[in-house]
């Protein structure tokens, strides 16, 4: 059976009618991981909730992350003890409520000296104490011989060994979607392609949001969504939404850009996540995923909030140069890059700090008309951030503070034994790689979905709120960056089944396909120039 949180958003007239039909306790603007987490927690506590997202759920920062649920070990030297403690303990909760979306992976940190190993171990000991890590999950040290045997692609000359500790990989877009579906399952009205255009006030208090249909090709629609509380969780667009409440409000965010490169795994054959320093001493990593390995991430100031931030040759060269120094494989070049993604982090501005040194702490602000804005924070700690926001909502509404249940109730698909489900698919004739991929995406719902892109895309429309081919290709099916077949047969198969479900003409279907293909080629357009690695670009 299909699990809870089934979401079919094709009936747009009815959806906009539902948004305008009553006064909600809270409307959440922004369907990334933070807004989705707030909507789920609030709905589970019995508040009436509307959640609106200008594009698709998770289409901004929340599908452009490094796809890790991790404790933020690197923030220890910065003195962010509270941030590390929260992230370290929240990892366990995500793993409990969505085990398919928190897949354990060893993180390997190669080290050049015994002194470095000792320093790393001291940091990890503190980290494990803060996070209440059990003995069986504590770090270990590999000798040089063990490092060479376990990860032969690492350039071992001059190394002393490595420190290894467990963390988790996730699918960020699907974690966001699971929270959206969980919110809907508890009565929230949720809408993608529904942009907040204006915030209305009465007697100095924000009381309603005007929202507008933004689905490409859809008829014009608007709704006036009345709510007792308005939450601005718009990520990089938080300042833009704050300006709807108070025109001329001073910006509070500092955006930084993060770029990730995807190469065929045969070009960078690693079995675990490898963490290594770039020339500027920032930590970079290489993560194995299916037939690919992805390398990330850059961290540079970025002034604008466009949907697809440009990836420059300089961005790529920074990561490729770092990899070349630490791996003994043929040096990677831009030609080896199969795909790449970029996104912006909505950090709270701190004057005089570099992009990497700005704190990842979240902050909450109440605007002059009572709009509650949240920015900053880390993917790993989304649930705890949401809990704090909903506590504040209840206080503002004069409600008795209730207990959040989000730490114990599974997310849709989360009531699953990943190993047993994967084994049962393999026993039924599914390849081990395909079984691992499917269970990693769908958890307990995998058998309801079926096999292959056509089945996944059908499910995406009927149960996961997908309205465009990009919604499936990039976010629901996680194929856009990790599918190495240049013919993209899965893209055509998905478009074929989605067209009748979404009323696309033959021309519209082809436009959807062209758009998805362009997302990949456009991301790489600056990297195909005939320039040597390291050449400066304008």
């Amino acid at each position: 059976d299909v699990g809870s949180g089934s979401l079919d958003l094709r009936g747009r007239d009815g959806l906009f009618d539902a948004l305008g039909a009553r006064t909600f306790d809270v409307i959440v603007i922004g369907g990334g991981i933070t807004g989705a987490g707030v909507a789920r927690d609030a709905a589970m506590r019995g508040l009436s909730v509307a959640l609106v997202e200008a594009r698709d759920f998770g289409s901004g920062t929340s599908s452009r992350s490094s796809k890790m649920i991790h404790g933020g070990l690197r923030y220890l030297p910065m003195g962010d003890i509270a941030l590390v403690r929260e992230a370290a303990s929240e990892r366990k909760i995500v793993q409990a409520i969505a085990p398919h979306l928190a897949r354990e992976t060893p993180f390997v940190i190669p080290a050049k000296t015994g002194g470095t190993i000792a320093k790393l171990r001291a940091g990890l000991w503190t980290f494990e104490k803060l996070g209440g890590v059990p003995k069986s999950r504590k770090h270990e040290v590999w000798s040089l011989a063990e490092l060479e045997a376990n990860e032969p692609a690492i350039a071992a000359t001059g190394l002393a060994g490595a420190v290894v500790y467990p963390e988790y990989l996730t699918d960020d877009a699907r974690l966001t979607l699971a929270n959206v579906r969980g919110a809907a399952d508890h009565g929230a009205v949720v809408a993608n392609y529904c942009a907040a255009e204006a915030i209305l006030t009465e007697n100095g208090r924000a009381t309603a949001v005007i929202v507008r249909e933004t689905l490409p090709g859809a008829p014009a629609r608007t709704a006036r969504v009345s709510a007792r509380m308005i939450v601005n969780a718009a990520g990089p667009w938080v300042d833009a939404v704050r300006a709807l409440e108070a025109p001329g409000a001073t910006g509070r965010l500092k955006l930084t850009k993060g770029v990730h490169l995807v190469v065929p795994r045969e070009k960078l054959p690693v079995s675990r996540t490898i963490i290594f320093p770039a020339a500027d001493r920032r930590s970079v990593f290489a993560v194995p995923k299916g037939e690919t390995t992805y390398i990330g991430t850059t961290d540079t100031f970025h002034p604008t909030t466009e949907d697809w931030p440009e990836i420059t040759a300089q961005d790529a060269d920074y990561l490729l140069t770092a990899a070349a120094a630490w791996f003994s494989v043929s040096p990677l070049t831009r030609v080896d890059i199969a795909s790449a993604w970029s996104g912006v982090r909505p950090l709270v501005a701190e004057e005089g700090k570099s992009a990497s040194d700005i704190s990842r702490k979240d902050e909450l602000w109440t605007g002059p008309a009572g709009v509650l804005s949240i920015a900053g924070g880390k993917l790993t700690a989304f649930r705890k951030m949401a809990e704090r926001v909903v506590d504040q909502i209840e206080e503002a509404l004069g409600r008795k503070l209730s207990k959040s249940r989000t730490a114990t109730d599974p997310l849709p698909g989360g009531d699953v034994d990943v190993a047993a489900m994967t084994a049962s698919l393999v026993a039924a004739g599914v390849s081990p790689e395909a079984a691992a991929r499917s269970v990693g995406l769908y958890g307990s719902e995998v058998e309801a979905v079926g096999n292959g892109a056509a089945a996944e895309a059908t499910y995406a429309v009927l149960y996961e709120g997908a309205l465009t081919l990009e919604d499936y290709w990039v976010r629901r099916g996680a194929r856009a960056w990790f599918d190495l077949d240049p013919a993209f047969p899965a893209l055509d198969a998905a478009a074929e089944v989605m067209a009748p479900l979404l009323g696309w003409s033959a021309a519209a279907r082809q436009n959807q396909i062209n758009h998805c293909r362009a997302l990949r080629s456009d991301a790489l357009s600056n990297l195909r120039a005939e320039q040597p690695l390291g050449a400066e670009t304008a």
Side-chain angles (χ1 to χ4, degrees):
D1 282 354
V2 173
S4 57
S6 298
L7 201 60
D8 181 347
L9 297 178
R10 292 175 295 170
R12 305 297 286 178
D13 286 335
L15 183 58
F16 274 69
D17 287 348
L19 287 168
R22 58 179 161 147
T23 299
F24 292 90
D25 289 321
V26 58
I27 177 172
V28 181
I29 300 170
I33 190 66
T34 305
V38 169
R40 176 176 183 249
D41 193 336
M44 287 175 72
R45 296 200 213 185
L47 294 163
S48 58
V49 178
L51 171 68
V52 297
E53 161 57 46
R55 290 170 306 285
D56 183 33
F57 305 119
S59 59
T61 309
S62 296
S63 57
R64 320 287 181 83
S65 78
S66 301
K67 309 189 188 305
M68 294 174 176
I69 299 290
H70 67 112
L73 179 64
R74 80 179 185 88
Y75 304 115
L76 266 183
M78 300 179 192
D80 263 342
I81 302 295
L83 182 77
V84 175
R85 178 187 285 117
E86 181 168 282
S89 58
E90 282 297 306
R91 295 179 310 167
K92 294 187 289 193
I93 292 174
V94 179
Q95 217 274 327
I97 63 175
H100 61 306
L101 293 173
R103 302 184 306 286
E104 188 176 310
T105 177
F107 277 27
V108 179
I109 310 178
K112 291 187 173 177
T113 67
T116 302
I117 289 175
K119 192 174 169 186
L120 284 167
R121 295 197 74 184
L124 276 160
W125 183 82
T126 307
F127 175 75
E128 288 160 353
K129 279 278 198 207
L130 288 170
V133 175
K135 194 171 183 180
S136 62
R137 319 241 326 106
K138 291 193 171 169
H139 72 275
E140 56 180 312
V141 175
W142 283 353
S143 68
L144 180 57
E146 287 171 316
L147 177 59
E148 289 180 296
N150 291 326
E151 292 292 348
I154 290 176
T157 308
L159 296 183
V163 177
V164 186
Y165 66 104
E167 287 282 20
Y168 299 98
L169 297 177
T170 191
D171 182 309
D172 48 7
R174 291 201 64 85
L175 184 62
T176 302
L177 178 68
N179 277 274
V180 172
R181 292 176 62 211
D185 197 46
H186 285 89
V189 178
V190 305
N192 51 359
Y193 298 99
C194 180
E197 292 263 283
I199 291 174
L200 307 182
T201 57
E202 287 176 27
N203 302 320
R205 289 286 302 172
T207 56
V209 180
I210 302 295
V211 297
R212 176 179 58 83
E213 173 76 84
T214 58
L215 181 66
R221 295 181 182 87
T222 59
R224 176 194 170 114
V225 190
S226 298
R228 297 166 68 202
M229 275 292 293
I230 297 170
V231 172
N232 168 14
W237 292 270
V238 155
D239 280 340
V241 174
R242 287 177 59 237
L244 297 180
E245 175 194 18
T250 309
R252 302 289 291 269
L253 299 188
K254 194 84 173 178
L255 305 181
T256 73
K257 181 175 71 170
V259 168
H260 296 79
L261 310 178
V262 180
V263 299
R265 194 155 162 195
E266 64 199 28
K267 301 272 187 185
L268 188 55
V270 296
S271 303
R272 301 158 187 81
T273 296
I274 315 295
I275 302 175
F276 50 97
D280 59 1
R281 304 184 68 81
R282 277 191 65 255
S283 290
V284 175
F285 48 78
V287 184
K289 183 173 173 64
E291 298 178 337
T292 69
T293 299
Y294 63 91
I295 310 165
T297 172
T298 62
D299 199 357
T300 51
F301 288 124
H302 192 71
T304 55
T305 54
E306 74 270 35
D307 288 350
W308 298 98
E310 181 183 47
I311 298 172
T312 66
Q314 223 169 336
D315 293 326
D317 291 353
Y318 172 84
L319 296 172
L320 297 176
T321 302
W326 283 86
F327 293 96
S328 58
V329 297
S330 297
L332 297 166
T333 70
R334 295 183 209 148
V335 176
D336 295 317
I337 301 169
S339 65
W341 74 86
S342 64
V344 291
R345 306 172 185 88
L347 304 179
V348 180
E350 291 181 279
E351 282 311 308
K353 287 207 173 181
S354 72
S356 295
D357 287 341
I358 293 180
S359 173
R360 270 50 177 171
K361 285 193 185 82
D362 58 283
E363 283 193 21
L364 267 170
W365 314 299
T366 302
V371 174
L372 195 58
S373 294
I374 182 162
K378 285 176 54 60
L379 174 68
T380 304
F382 81 89
R383 192 206 63 82
K384 195 69 183 173
M385 286 163 56
E387 190 177 296
R388 287 194 287 273
V389 174
V390 181
D391 285 351
Q392 195 149 331
I393 291 168
E394 289 198 314
E395 196 177 310
L397 293 177
R399 282 172 56 111
K400 185 168 180 282
L401 193 64
S402 60
K403 189 168 167 25
S404 172
R405 303 201 326 268
T406 56
T408 51
D409 284 27
L411 284 163
D415 49 339
V416 64
D417 178 327
V418 171
M421 181 65 82
T422 306
S424 91
L425 289 183
V426 171
V430 179
S431 76
E433 297 77 19
R437 176 187 176 277
S438 294
V439 176
L441 291 176
Y442 300 105
S444 61
E445 298 176 338
V446 67
E447 288 171 330
V449 178
N451 291 324
E456 291 174 1
T458 301
Y459 190 82
V461 174
L462 299 180
Y463 300 106
E464 297 183 334
L467 296 173
T468 72
L469 186 56
E470 181 196 313
D471 295 348
Y472 165 70
W473 181 244
V474 177
R475 290 173 290 279
R476 310 296 189 281
R479 292 182 183 272
W481 317 131
F482 303 112
D483 191 332
L484 291 181
D485 187 333
F488 300 146
L491 186 61
D492 294 324
E496 182 122 350
V497 296
M498 290 177 80
L501 292 172
L502 291 162
W504 298 337
S505 65
R509 182 180 77 180
Q510 192 56 49
N511 285 342
Q512 295 273 342
I513 292 170
N514 294 346
H515 167 72
C516 288
R517 285 178 170 272
L519 284 178
R520 264 202 34 172
S521 58
D522 290 354
L524 300 178
S525 59
N526 291 331
L527 313 186
R528 296 297 187 234
E530 294 298 317
Q531 292 166 309
L533 180 63
E536 289 302 311
T537 55

